[in-house]
Amino acid sequence: MTLVMDKAALEDFMAQEFAQVADVLSVHEVCEDHVTLKLTPTEAHLRPGGTVSGPSMFMLADVVLYFAILSRIGPVALAVTTNAHIDFMRKPEGGEPIYGEATILKLGRNLAVGQVAIKNAGSDDVLAQASLTYALPPKR
């Protein structure tokens, strides 16, 4: 698939449209086959025991797949999550950034389906795996 938005364009979109998470999420990599975001957790993202919370990992999964879709279709603010499933498999290190790598499985006219693997930096072990579906607004 051809990229419509590159790393700089996605960073600008995040700064303008997602200011509420721009302090903890950053665009790490944008390729034709995947997009990766980095979550730098703060104390607010940690559970007792120092691990990154499930809702924080879900936020990473949701936003990174959204950005993977935008990288293919452009800045469509009204694409919305319609289905999501996440499996938590390993405990992330609380004081370390985690990465979400999104791959689009299907990009249709009305729906986009993808998967996200969440990992610690430098590790191939998957911490969480998510599958999400987005509804895309009709083209006008």
Side-chain angles (χ1 to χ4, degrees):
M1 290 183 208
T2 304
L3 291 176
V4 176
M5 294 179 76
D6 61 9
K7 183 178 178 185
L10 289 172
E11 287 171 340
D12 289 345
F13 185 84
M14 183 180 297
Q16 293 176 10
E17 301 296 332
F18 280 97
Q20 68 272 27
V21 296
D23 60 332
V24 294
L25 290 180
S26 58
V27 180
H28 181 70
E29 183 177 31
V30 179
C31 302
E32 287 197 17
D33 64 340
H34 69 271
V35 171
T36 305
L37 294 185
K38 177 173 89 170
L39 168 64
T40 304
T42 66
E43 192 67 32
H45 300 99
L46 302 182
R47 295 192 70 104
T51 187
V52 177
S53 71
S56 297
M57 287 191 280
F58 179 81
M59 172 191 62
L60 173 60
D62 195 32
V63 175
V64 72
L65 185 58
Y66 180 52
F67 275 38
I69 294 166
L70 295 184
S71 75
R72 294 345 184 256
I73 67 171
V76 178
L78 295 178
V80 295
T81 310
T82 59
N83 189 41
H85 174 86
I86 189 165
D87 291 305
F88 301 102
M89 296 178 275
R90 292 178 178 82
K91 179 181 175 183
E93 297 298 325
E96 301 295 322
I98 57 175
Y99 294 82
E101 182 178 299
T103 305
I104 296 175
L105 302 175
K106 180 183 182 209
L107 183 58
R109 287 185 320 223
N110 301 314
L111 293 175
V113 179
Q115 62 187 14
V116 177
I118 298 175
K119 301 176 182 179
N120 280 327
S123 175
D124 290 332
D125 292 337
V126 176
L127 304 172
Q129 175 74 36
S131 299
L132 300 103
T133 302
Y134 273 77
L136 306 177
K139 293 182 181 179
R140 300 197 184 238

